[in-house]
Amino acid sequence: PYYRQITNIKGYDFLLDIDHYYYYDNNYSNNNKIPFEMEGEQYSVTRVNKERFILELFKENESILDIDIDAIKDDLIGQYGKKYQNEIPQSELTITKQSNGIDYKFEIQSLNFRTIKGKTNIESIKGKLFLRFEKFSPTEVEEN
């Protein structure tokens, strides 16, 4: 039988699927906004910095969290090189932090690079963003 993958969100309150593509076309805006609503308030995840791949979480128009994907990209390239890999441990594809009263975990499912003129950029990323807001939740985040 085919078993579907199940996601454990223990310790978090919200789960957002991230599917973000970046195209190297001068006419294309890199402002791929992923809008969503939580507790009646408007949020979005977007990339705002053209030089670095940083996903920012906005509440209304205020940036409340940023996730530096370039940093993990650089670590992965340093350890595994630029060739295709599919055996990287999930622990190395997970960013877990706390900032501005928000606990988050970003589990990267796929990350694609492109090297142009010696510079390696992220072309697309897919993953799951787990969020816990202190003001919404009395739940403690358990460390694995």
Side-chain angles (χ1 to χ4, degrees), residues 14-95:
F14 303 97
L15 170 62
L16 177 67
D17 285 318
I18 302 288
D19 211 344
H20 198 284
Y21 292 89
Y22 180 68
Y23 300 95
Y24 296 92
D25 177 345
N26 292 333
N27 299 321
Y28 181 78
S29 166
N30 63 337
N31 194 21
N32 289 13
K33 189 179 278 191
I34 302 169
F36 59 100
E37 189 176 292
M38 279 189 301
E39 306 290 324
E41 297 185 274
Q42 302 299 313
Y43 291 83
S44 66
V45 172
T46 189
R47 177 186 175 191
V48 296
N49 186 326
K50 192 164 184 154
E51 300 306 312
R52 293 188 55 76
F53 203 110
I54 297 172
L55 291 177
E56 287 195 49
L57 174 63
F58 285 85
K59 178 181 175 184
E60 304 297 338
N61 292 319
E62 180 189 357
S63 176
I64 57 173
L65 188 69
D66 57 73
I67 306 170
D68 190 344
I69 307 300
D70 265 1
I72 200 168
K73 173 205 72 171
D74 294 340
D75 289 346
L76 290 172
I77 289 174
Q79 191 164 351
Y80 296 97
K82 295 179 185 175
K83 299 278 188 252
Y84 174 79
Q85 296 281 336
N86 64 355
E87 297 299 321
I88 297 173
Q90 185 61 55
S91 60
E92 294 186 41
L93 296 170
T94 302
I95 304 169

